[in-house]
């Protein structure tokens, strides 16, 4: 009876161009368990079928409990990843703020240097003054050593 129903479902799916049963086979492979269940249930009476259904339900419950453990574990992992991402986002925001402050300071220093560069006309006159000051300092020090 179960095999007939399975066959009718496949026929109806093909007729209605609904290939969900075929998609299931593509995803999970052929359902060998259904054939096994049909073979095991074929010789049972009503009480045997009820017991067999309870056994199958128990197996399904055990599978669902394992699935629940997996989902719970995945949830905890996702929460930890979320916490880590929140921390990294905060760190990146702080870094962005510090980069903005540093950029502002750098622009201020660049403006001051550009102004100083214009004022000294390329820095050549400052360099000449520095060389003259060093030469005078050397002459003064040499003179002090010579007379002392």
């Amino acid at each position: 009876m179960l095999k007939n129903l399975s066959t009718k479902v496949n026929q109806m799916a093909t007729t209605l161009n609904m290939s969900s049963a075929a998609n299931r086979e593509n995803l999970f492979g052929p359902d060998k368990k259904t054939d096994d269940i049909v073979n095991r249930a074929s010789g049972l009476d009503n009480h045997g079928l009820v017991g067999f259904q309870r056994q199958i339900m128990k197996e399904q419950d055990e599978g669902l409990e394992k699935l629940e453990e997996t989902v719970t574990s995945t949830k905890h992992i996702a929460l930890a990843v979320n916490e880590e991402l929140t921390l990294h986002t905060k760190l990146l925001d702080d870094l962005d703020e510090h980069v903005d402050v540093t950029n502002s300071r750098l622009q201020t220093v660049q403006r001051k240097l550009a102004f100083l560069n214009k004022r000294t006309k390329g820095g050549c006159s400052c360099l000449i003054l520095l060389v003259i000051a060093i030469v005078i300092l050397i002459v003064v020090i040499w003179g002090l050593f010579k007379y002392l």
Side-chain angles (χ1 to χ4, degrees), residues 12-53:
M12 289 178 70
T14 305
T15 305
L16 297 174
N17 199 13
M18 293 175 51
S19 59
S20 62
N23 287 338
R24 184 181 188 289
E25 279 190 19
N26 287 340
L27 288 174
F28 301 116
D31 194 6
K32 296 176 183 175
K33 209 172 195 181
T34 304
D35 293 334
D36 182 44
I37 291 172
V38 169
N39 290 336
R40 286 173 38 194
S42 62
L44 299 176
D45 60 352
N46 287 342
H47 292 291
L49 281 175
V50 170
F52 184 62
Q53 283 180 333

Side-chain angles (χ1 to χ4, degrees), residues 70-90:
T70 304
V71 168
T72 303
S73 173
T74 304
K75 176 187 171 187
H76 291 302
I77 292 170
L79 290 174
V81 167
N82 182 37
E83 189 175 316
E84 189 73 20
L85 286 175
T86 302
L87 174 67
H88 283 269
T89 301
K90 184 178 182 283

Side-chain angles (χ1 to χ4, degrees), residues 1 9 17 40 46 49 51 54 59 62 66 70 74-76 84-85 95 105 107-109 114 131-132:
M1 196 162 57
V9 166
N17 199 13
R40 286 173 38 194
N46 287 342
L49 281 175
R54 286 186 180 147
E59 290 173 3
E62 290 171 358
K66 288 180 183 177
T70 304
T74 304
K75 176 187 171 187
H76 291 302
E84 189 73 20
L85 286 175
L95 179 65
R105 288 179 183 168
Q107 286 177 353
T108 302
V109 169
V131 169
I132 291 172

Side-chain angles (χ1 to χ4, degrees), residues 85-101:
L85 286 175
T86 302
L87 174 67
H88 283 269
T89 301
K90 184 178 182 283
L91 290 173
L92 285 172
D93 288 342
D94 289 346
L95 179 65
D96 186 44
E97 183 179 324
H98 290 296
V99 167
D100 287 343
V101 169

